Amino acid sequence: MPEGHTLHRLARLHTEYFAGGPVRVSSPQGRFVDHVVVDGRFFDHATAVGKHLFHHYEGGLAVHVHLGLYGFFDTHFVSRGDEAPAPVGQVRMRIGAVRPGGGALDGPAHYVDLRGPTRCEVIDEAGVAEVRGRLGPDPLDPDADPDRAWSRISRSARPIGALLMDQKVLAGVGNVYRAEALFRAGLDPFRPGVELERAEFDAVWDDLVELMAVGVDTGGIVTIRPPHDHGDVPRRGSDRPRNYVYQRDGWACRVCGDDIRLTTLDARTLFWCPTCQTR
Ligand SMILES: [Zn+2]
Protein backbone atom coordinates (compact mmCIF):
# COMPACT_ATOMS: atom_id res chain seq x y z
CA MET A 1 0.00 0.00 0.00
CA PRO A 2 1.33 3.47 -0.83
CA GLU A 3 2.40 5.49 2.18
CA GLY A 4 1.95 9.21 2.76
CA HIS A 5 5.06 10.30 0.90
CA THR A 6 3.63 8.85 -2.33
CA LEU A 7 0.45 10.94 -2.06
CA HIS A 8 2.33 14.13 -1.20
CA ARG A 9 4.62 13.53 -4.15
CA LEU A 10 1.62 13.02 -6.43
CA ALA A 11 0.05 16.24 -5.12
CA ARG A 12 3.24 18.10 -5.91
CA LEU A 13 3.51 16.62 -9.42
CA HIS A 14 -0.17 17.04 -10.30
CA THR A 15 0.00 20.69 -9.23
CA GLU A 16 3.02 21.08 -11.48
CA TYR A 17 1.29 19.40 -14.45
CA PHE A 18 -2.21 20.81 -14.22
CA ALA A 19 -2.54 23.87 -11.97
CA GLY A 20 -3.57 27.14 -13.54
CA GLY A 21 -5.71 25.92 -16.40
CA PRO A 22 -8.69 23.83 -17.36
CA VAL A 23 -8.31 20.06 -17.58
CA ARG A 24 -9.96 17.27 -19.47
CA VAL A 25 -11.26 14.60 -17.08
CA SER A 26 -12.72 11.33 -18.27
CA SER A 27 -13.49 7.87 -16.97
CA PRO A 28 -12.58 5.44 -19.76
CA GLN A 29 -13.75 2.55 -17.59
CA GLY A 30 -17.01 4.36 -16.86
CA ARG A 31 -17.07 3.84 -13.10
CA PHE A 32 -16.28 7.45 -12.16
CA VAL A 33 -19.57 8.88 -13.39
CA ASP A 34 -19.05 12.27 -11.70
CA HIS A 35 -16.07 13.10 -13.90
CA VAL A 36 -18.48 15.20 -15.98
CA VAL A 37 -18.77 17.63 -13.03
CA VAL A 38 -15.09 18.57 -13.22
CA ASP A 39 -14.37 17.94 -16.90
CA GLY A 40 -13.27 21.21 -18.51
CA ARG A 41 -13.00 22.94 -15.14
CA PHE A 42 -10.07 25.08 -13.96
CA PHE A 43 -7.64 22.95 -11.92
CA ASP A 44 -6.49 25.03 -8.99
CA HIS A 45 -3.99 22.79 -7.18
CA ALA A 46 -3.57 19.38 -5.55
CA THR A 47 -3.02 18.58 -1.88
CA ALA A 48 -2.51 15.47 0.18
CA VAL A 49 -3.11 14.48 3.76
CA GLY A 50 -2.09 11.07 5.00
CA LYS A 51 -2.99 8.61 2.25
CA HIS A 52 -5.62 10.86 0.67
CA LEU A 53 -5.14 13.00 -2.44
CA PHE A 54 -7.32 15.96 -3.44
CA HIS A 55 -7.53 17.71 -6.79
CA HIS A 56 -8.99 21.13 -6.01
CA TYR A 57 -11.07 22.77 -8.73
CA GLU A 58 -12.53 26.22 -9.08
CA GLY A 59 -15.97 26.54 -7.58
CA GLY A 60 -15.05 24.71 -4.37
CA LEU A 61 -15.08 21.20 -5.80
CA ALA A 62 -12.47 18.52 -5.28
CA VAL A 63 -11.77 15.05 -6.57
CA HIS A 64 -10.92 12.86 -3.59
CA VAL A 65 -8.70 9.85 -4.29
CA HIS A 66 -7.66 7.05 -1.95
CA LEU A 67 -5.45 4.48 -3.64
CA GLY A 68 -6.14 1.69 -1.15
CA LEU A 69 -4.06 -1.44 -1.55
CA TYR A 70 -3.90 -1.65 -5.32
CA GLY A 71 -4.49 1.80 -6.75
CA PHE A 72 -1.85 3.76 -8.65
CA PHE A 73 -1.37 6.55 -11.16
CA ASP A 74 0.30 6.01 -14.51
CA THR A 75 1.95 9.19 -15.66
CA HIS A 76 2.47 9.82 -19.37
CA PHE A 77 3.99 12.56 -21.43
CA VAL A 78 2.62 13.69 -24.77
CA SER A 79 4.93 15.45 -27.17
CA ARG A 80 4.02 18.64 -28.97
CA GLY A 81 1.26 18.14 -31.51
CA ASP A 82 0.54 14.54 -30.54
CA GLU A 83 -2.71 13.13 -29.23
CA ALA A 84 -2.74 11.16 -25.99
CA PRO A 85 -2.99 7.45 -26.83
CA ALA A 86 -6.23 5.60 -26.10
CA PRO A 87 -6.43 4.26 -22.55
CA VAL A 88 -5.45 0.63 -22.04
CA GLY A 89 -7.28 -1.54 -19.48
CA GLN A 90 -9.33 -0.35 -16.54
CA VAL A 91 -8.72 3.39 -16.17
CA ARG A 92 -10.97 4.94 -13.53
CA MET A 93 -9.95 8.51 -14.26
CA ARG A 94 -7.81 10.14 -16.91
CA ILE A 95 -6.82 13.74 -16.45
CA GLY A 96 -4.90 15.88 -18.88
CA ALA A 97 -4.29 19.54 -19.56
CA VAL A 98 -6.49 21.34 -22.09
CA ARG A 99 -4.81 23.68 -24.50
CA PRO A 100 -6.51 26.50 -26.37
CA GLY A 101 -8.21 25.07 -29.42
CA GLY A 102 -9.43 21.92 -27.67
CA GLY A 103 -8.59 18.55 -29.27
CA ALA A 104 -4.96 17.89 -29.93
CA LEU A 105 -2.49 19.42 -27.53
CA ASP A 106 -0.55 22.23 -29.10
CA GLY A 107 2.33 21.80 -26.68
CA PRO A 108 3.96 19.02 -24.72
CA ALA A 109 1.88 17.96 -21.73
CA HIS A 110 1.40 15.33 -19.10
CA TYR A 111 -1.63 13.24 -18.54
CA VAL A 112 -2.26 10.67 -15.83
CA ASP A 113 -4.37 7.54 -15.63
CA LEU A 114 -5.73 6.41 -12.28
CA ARG A 115 -6.22 2.67 -11.86
CA GLY A 116 -7.72 0.55 -9.10
CA PRO A 117 -8.35 3.14 -6.38
CA THR A 118 -10.50 2.45 -3.33
CA ARG A 119 -12.04 5.87 -3.75
CA CYS A 120 -12.40 8.39 -6.56
CA GLU A 121 -15.24 10.84 -5.97
CA VAL A 122 -16.21 14.48 -6.33
CA ILE A 123 -16.75 16.24 -3.02
CA ASP A 124 -16.97 19.87 -1.90
CA GLU A 125 -14.53 21.70 0.35
CA ALA A 126 -16.65 20.81 3.40
CA GLY A 127 -16.15 17.19 2.42
CA VAL A 128 -12.40 17.76 2.19
CA ALA A 129 -12.45 19.24 5.69
CA GLU A 130 -14.40 16.25 6.94
CA VAL A 131 -11.82 13.79 5.57
CA ARG A 132 -9.02 15.84 7.09
CA GLY A 133 -10.86 16.02 10.41
CA ARG A 134 -11.03 12.24 10.68
CA LEU A 135 -7.27 11.91 10.40
CA GLY A 136 -4.47 12.36 12.89
CA PRO A 137 -1.64 14.82 12.26
CA ASP A 138 0.46 14.17 9.15
CA PRO A 139 4.24 14.37 9.58
CA LEU A 140 4.45 15.83 6.07
CA ASP A 141 2.17 18.74 6.94
CA PRO A 142 4.29 21.66 8.21
CA ASP A 143 1.31 22.86 10.27
CA ALA A 144 0.64 19.47 11.83
CA ASP A 145 0.19 19.38 15.59
CA PRO A 146 1.96 16.30 17.03
CA ASP A 147 0.22 16.91 20.38
CA ARG A 148 -2.95 15.48 18.85
CA ALA A 149 -1.17 12.19 18.18
CA TRP A 150 0.52 12.19 21.57
CA SER A 151 -2.74 12.72 23.45
CA ARG A 152 -4.14 9.53 21.87
CA ILE A 153 -0.95 7.47 22.17
CA SER A 154 -0.25 8.41 25.78
CA ARG A 155 -3.71 7.21 26.83
CA SER A 156 -3.81 3.99 24.86
CA ALA A 157 -3.06 0.46 26.01
CA ARG A 158 -2.58 -0.59 22.37
CA PRO A 159 0.96 -1.37 21.19
CA ILE A 160 2.88 1.56 19.72
CA GLY A 161 3.40 -0.53 16.56
CA ALA A 162 -0.37 -0.58 16.03
CA LEU A 163 -0.94 3.05 17.01
CA LEU A 164 1.55 4.39 14.46
CA MET A 165 -0.40 2.67 11.67
CA ASP A 166 -3.79 3.95 12.85
CA GLN A 167 -4.67 6.84 10.52
CA LYS A 168 -6.83 8.45 13.22
CA VAL A 169 -3.71 8.69 15.40
CA LEU A 170 -1.12 9.62 12.76
CA ALA A 171 -1.85 10.16 9.07
CA GLY A 172 0.33 8.78 6.30
CA VAL A 173 2.47 6.24 8.13
CA GLY A 174 2.25 2.77 6.61
CA ASN A 175 3.95 -0.53 7.21
CA VAL A 176 7.41 0.48 6.01
CA TYR A 177 7.77 3.77 7.88
CA ARG A 178 6.20 2.18 10.99
CA ALA A 179 8.76 -0.63 11.07
CA GLU A 180 11.73 1.55 10.22
CA ALA A 181 10.94 4.42 12.59
CA LEU A 182 10.48 2.02 15.52
CA PHE A 183 13.77 0.31 14.68
CA ARG A 184 15.64 3.61 14.45
CA ALA A 185 14.21 4.60 17.83
CA GLY A 186 15.08 1.23 19.38
CA LEU A 187 11.45 0.89 20.48
CA ASP A 188 9.76 -2.44 21.12
CA PRO A 189 6.72 -2.41 18.78
CA PHE A 190 4.61 -4.21 21.38
CA ARG A 191 5.09 -1.61 24.09
CA PRO A 192 1.75 -0.03 25.04
CA GLY A 193 1.37 3.62 24.04
CA VAL A 194 0.57 4.55 27.62
CA GLU A 195 4.08 3.44 28.68
CA LEU A 196 5.88 5.69 26.21
CA GLU A 197 7.62 8.80 27.40
CA ARG A 198 6.97 12.08 25.66
CA ALA A 199 10.62 12.37 24.59
CA GLU A 200 10.41 8.95 22.95
CA PHE A 201 7.32 9.93 20.99
CA ASP A 202 8.90 13.25 19.98
CA ALA A 203 11.96 11.43 18.67
CA VAL A 204 9.78 9.14 16.53
CA TRP A 205 7.73 12.08 15.23
CA ASP A 206 10.82 14.12 14.34
CA ASP A 207 12.34 11.11 12.63
CA LEU A 208 9.17 10.53 10.56
CA VAL A 209 9.12 14.20 9.52
CA GLU A 210 12.65 13.83 8.21
CA LEU A 211 12.35 10.37 6.64
CA MET A 212 9.04 11.02 4.91
CA ALA A 213 10.31 14.30 3.43
CA VAL A 214 13.13 12.30 1.81
CA GLY A 215 10.42 9.98 0.46
CA VAL A 216 8.55 12.91 -1.14
CA ASP A 217 11.72 14.24 -2.74
CA THR A 218 13.05 10.94 -4.05
CA GLY A 219 9.90 8.86 -4.43
CA GLY A 220 11.49 6.00 -2.48
CA ILE A 221 11.83 5.02 1.14
CA VAL A 222 15.41 5.18 2.39
CA THR A 223 15.92 4.83 6.12
CA ILE A 224 19.50 3.60 6.36
CA ARG A 225 21.94 5.70 8.37
CA PRO A 226 25.37 6.39 6.80
CA PRO A 227 27.33 4.12 9.19
CA HIS A 228 25.28 1.14 8.01
CA ASP A 229 25.57 1.96 4.32
CA HIS A 230 29.13 0.97 3.53
CA GLY A 231 30.81 1.79 0.27
CA ASP A 232 31.19 4.76 -2.03
CA VAL A 233 28.31 4.00 -4.40
CA PRO A 234 25.43 6.47 -4.03
CA ARG A 235 23.09 4.96 -1.50
CA ARG A 236 20.14 4.79 -3.85
CA GLY A 237 21.97 2.35 -6.11
CA SER A 238 20.09 -0.92 -6.54
CA ASP A 239 22.84 -2.80 -4.72
CA ARG A 240 22.79 -0.51 -1.69
CA PRO A 241 20.93 -1.20 1.54
CA ARG A 242 17.89 1.04 1.83
CA ASN A 243 16.31 0.01 5.11
CA TYR A 244 16.78 -1.98 8.32
CA VAL A 245 13.87 -4.31 8.98
CA TYR A 246 11.02 -4.09 6.47
CA GLN A 247 10.82 -7.36 4.49
CA ARG A 248 14.16 -8.46 5.92
CA ASP A 249 12.79 -11.27 8.12
CA GLY A 250 15.30 -14.07 8.48
CA TRP A 251 18.18 -11.80 7.43
CA ALA A 252 20.82 -10.57 9.83
CA CYS A 253 20.14 -7.23 11.49
CA ARG A 254 22.45 -4.62 9.97
CA VAL A 255 23.30 -3.36 13.46
CA CYS A 256 23.48 -6.38 15.83
CA GLY A 257 23.50 -9.43 13.53
CA ASP A 258 20.46 -11.08 15.17
CA ASP A 259 17.69 -12.40 12.90
CA ILE A 260 15.03 -9.88 11.87
CA ARG A 261 11.63 -11.22 12.97
CA LEU A 262 8.24 -11.23 11.33
CA THR A 263 4.89 -11.42 13.08
CA THR A 264 1.33 -10.19 12.62
CA LEU A 265 -0.12 -7.23 14.46
CA ASP A 266 -3.68 -6.06 13.75
CA ALA A 267 -3.73 -8.28 10.65
CA ARG A 268 -0.66 -6.58 9.14
CA THR A 269 2.87 -7.95 8.97
CA LEU A 270 5.31 -6.42 11.39
CA PHE A 271 9.09 -6.60 11.05
CA TRP A 272 11.44 -5.90 13.94
CA CYS A 273 14.74 -6.79 15.62
CA PRO A 274 14.18 -8.21 19.11
CA THR A 275 17.75 -7.39 20.15
CA CYS A 276 17.87 -3.74 19.01
CA GLN A 277 14.28 -2.89 19.89
CA THR A 278 14.01 -3.39 23.61
CA ARG A 279 13.08 0.04 24.89
ZN1 LIG B 1 19.40 -5.67 15.73
Side-chain angles (χ1 to χ4, degrees):
M1 179 183 284
E3 305 202 15
H5 69 294
T6 301
L7 283 305
H8 281 263
R9 186 173 169 83
L10 286 167
R12 187 188 282 185
L13 291 172
H14 292 178
T15 297
E16 198 178 293
Y17 300 158
F18 306 123
V23 288
R24 199 95 271 172
V25 183
S26 59
S27 182
Q29 170 200 56
R31 283 185 59 188
F32 176 40
V33 179
D34 280 351
H35 75 271
V36 293
V37 180
V38 288
D39 183 29
R41 215 173 253 264
F42 184 94
F43 188 106
D44 199 68
H45 66 295
T47 60
V49 59
K51 299 176 179 179
H52 300 256
L53 175 72
F54 303 100
H55 288 167
H56 301 270
Y57 288 88
E58 76 172 337
L61 292 179
V63 171
H64 169 217
V65 174
H66 192 289
L67 295 175
L69 273 176
Y70 306 109
F72 63 97
F73 280 96
D74 265 340
T75 299
H76 305 273
F77 186 76
V78 192
S79 301
R80 177 175 295 275
D82 286 350
E83 294 271 8
V88 176
Q90 301 295 306
V91 176
R92 185 75 55 89
M93 174 175 72
R94 170 175 283 194
I95 171 169
V98 178
R99 293 288 186 269
L105 297 164
D106 66 356
H110 287 93
Y111 69 95
V112 297
D113 286 343
L114 169 63
R115 298 169 186 276
T118 300
R119 218 164 248 274
C120 174
E121 60 181 358
V122 175
I123 57 178
D124 58 16
E125 287 298 334
V128 174
E130 196 189 310
V131 174
R132 287 179 169 273
R134 288 203 298 263
L135 298 168
D138 180 340
L140 286 169
D141 174 0
D143 298 323
D145 176 11
D147 287 354
R148 286 175 54 218
W150 172 244
S151 74
R152 279 176 174 266
I153 290 170
S154 59
R155 281 181 290 178
S156 175
R158 293 170 64 204
I160 183 62
L163 289 162
L164 287 186
M165 290 270 282
D166 183 338
Q167 301 298 298
K168 295 188 296 296
V169 175
L170 225 82
V173 176
N175 213 350
V176 190
Y177 282 122
R178 177 263 297 267
E180 297 295 314
L182 288 173
F183 178 87
R184 285 165 56 106
L187 282 172
D188 179 346
F190 301 100
R191 195 160 149 210
V194 68
E195 289 180 14
L196 245 68
E197 285 164 28
R198 177 68 200 238
E200 291 173 322
F201 165 74
D202 286 344
V204 170
W205 173 268
D206 292 345
D207 203 29
L208 285 168
V209 169
E210 203 172 302
L211 289 175
M212 292 175 76
V214 172
V216 177
D217 287 338
T218 65
I221 298 180
V222 178
T223 62
I224 205 93
R225 290 186 168 110
H228 308 124
D229 179 20
H230 313 291
D232 300 326
V233 183
R235 66 182 190 170
R236 294 200 66 224
S238 57
D239 60 334
R240 304 308 311 152
R242 299 169 69 90
N243 69 308
Y244 288 102
V245 290
Y246 183 73
Q247 286 190 338
R248 294 199 67 246
D249 51 302
W251 292 79
C253 174
R254 299 192 196 282
V255 175
C256 75
D258 193 0
D259 284 356
I260 300 299
R261 308 297 165 87
L262 164 67
T263 189
T264 304
L265 178 62
D266 283 0
R268 297 293 302 273
T269 51
L270 167 72
F271 301 85
W272 91 108
C273 173
T275 304
C276 290
Q277 297 180 245
T278 53
R279 278 170 61 194

